[in-house]
Amino acid sequence: MMSWLDVLLEPMGFAFMQRALLTAAATSIVCAIFSCFLVLKGWSLMGDAISHAVLPGVVLAYLAGIPLAIGAFGSGLFCAVATGFIKEHCRVKEDSVMGIVFSGMFAAGLVLFSRVNTEQHLSHILFGNVLGVTDSEMLQTLIIAAVVTLAILLRFKDLVLFCFDPVQAKVIGLPVRFYHYALLCMLAMTIVAALQAVGVVLVVAMLITPGITAFLLCKTLPKMVTIAVTVSLLAAVSGTFISFYIDAATGPTIVLIQALFFLLALTANLLQKSIKPRQSAPIA
């Protein structure tokens, strides 16, 4: 009779599960770190915009026979630059501009996809297929995740100041415009890495949920990053295992577990707020 440990380790006997766990773990870590900056910078909608805007680039890259990551990165970067250009040259607010740009590019991608006779490929890009990643796709994800994570850690203090107070950052001589576009480039790269795990539709959840969850539980950025990475990594690993046992889609399972962690953090935050006034009330 198999023990619970044998049952738990059974999936690790398959090569596709080993690749899936590595890919999901790498994706979860870089998305969690980046989500903290997106939350603090107020760029949650930007993450949503770029994640949807990569679709036409993916299709064009597929038709041209070049790596999909190149098309996705180029399309996402074009969306970010176009948003900034339109915002600077008209009176429309940034959130409205992002809505117009990303919805237009996403629609263009869907139209292109409808002309490509490969529905399986469409499903893979939209919803992810982490259990089906190849060795080359896994290596691509690991490299992107490592480069973005290392870049953030090397310039952590400068990025924190840029996110909290860009005016002060400019006064002390930091290249604010450079950091602005560097963050956008890294955001596009992070989205490219996450496409293999959860796809276009759900990638925004991995870029927002860990940061919001950690934001509810702490007040300092180092702790926020630590909690976000922990929550995201736990969700990625447990979601991959659970999806294997219940025969469900891995990406949605990971995102669902992240949502459960957020609900737990929200509940803890509300309970803490309800208890504090009672503790501070004078004793009769």
Side-chain angles (χ1 to χ4, degrees), residues 74-103:
S75 185
L77 194 59
F78 173 80
C79 172
V81 174
T83 300
F85 178 82
I86 296 174
K87 175 181 175 293
E88 291 178 359
H89 292 81
C90 71
R91 297 187 301 166
V92 181
K93 292 184 178 179
E94 187 175 20
D95 57 347
S96 301
V97 174
M98 283 188 286
I100 295 171
V101 173
F102 96 73
S103 60

Side-chain angles (χ1 to χ4, degrees), residues 27-244:
T27 300
S28 66
I29 291 173
V30 67
C31 284
I33 295 174
F34 216 98
S35 69
C36 296
F37 290 95
L38 290 182
V39 171
L40 295 176
K41 187 65 176 172
W43 276 6
S44 298
L45 184 57
M46 179 65 79
D48 188 20
I50 296 180
S51 65
H52 285 75
V54 300
L55 191 57
V58 170
V59 184
L60 293 176
Y62 174 77
L63 293 175
I66 62 176
L68 302 184
I70 296 177
F73 177 73
S75 185
L77 194 59
F78 173 80
C79 172
V81 174
T83 300
F85 178 82
I86 296 174
K87 175 181 175 293
E88 291 178 359
H89 292 81
C90 71
R91 297 187 301 166
V92 181
K93 292 184 178 179
E94 187 175 20
D95 57 347
S96 301
V97 174
M98 283 188 286
I100 295 171
V101 173
F102 96 73
S103 60
M105 293 187 68
F106 188 60
L110 290 176
V111 171
L112 289 172
F113 255 129
S114 67
R115 304 299 300 172
V116 179
N117 188 22
T118 170
E119 294 183 0
Q120 184 178 4
H121 187 69
L122 171 60
S123 176
H124 171 75
I125 295 300
L126 289 180
F127 305 107
N129 184 23
V130 69
L131 295 181
V133 297
T134 62
D135 288 333
S136 60
E137 291 172 338
M138 180 188 69
L139 182 61
Q140 168 190 296
T141 301
L142 293 177
I143 292 174
I144 294 175
V147 169
V148 174
T149 302
L150 183 62
I152 291 177
L153 294 179
L154 288 176
R155 293 295 178 181
F156 188 80
K157 292 183 178 180
D158 292 344
L159 290 173
V160 171
L161 180 58
F162 168 72
C163 290
F164 276 105
D165 194 349
V167 176
Q168 176 65 19
K170 189 173 183 178
V171 169
I172 66 174
L174 288 181
V176 175
R177 182 174 291 271
F178 169 77
Y179 281 117
H180 175 81
Y181 285 103
L183 273 179
L184 291 177
C185 289
M186 289 190 291
L187 176 58
M189 293 176 65
T190 303
I191 290 171
V192 170
L195 284 178
Q196 302 294 341
V198 294
V200 169
V201 176
L202 298 175
V203 67
V204 65
M206 292 193 71
L207 282 170
I208 296 176
T209 309
I212 295 178
T213 302
F215 184 76
L216 291 173
L217 298 175
C218 59
K219 296 182 178 180
T220 62
L221 186 58
K223 289 183 179 180
M224 183 178 175
V225 172
T226 302
I227 294 175
V229 170
T230 302
V231 167
S232 186
L233 190 58
L234 285 174
V237 174
S238 60
T240 304
F241 272 101
I242 292 173
S243 67
F244 174 84

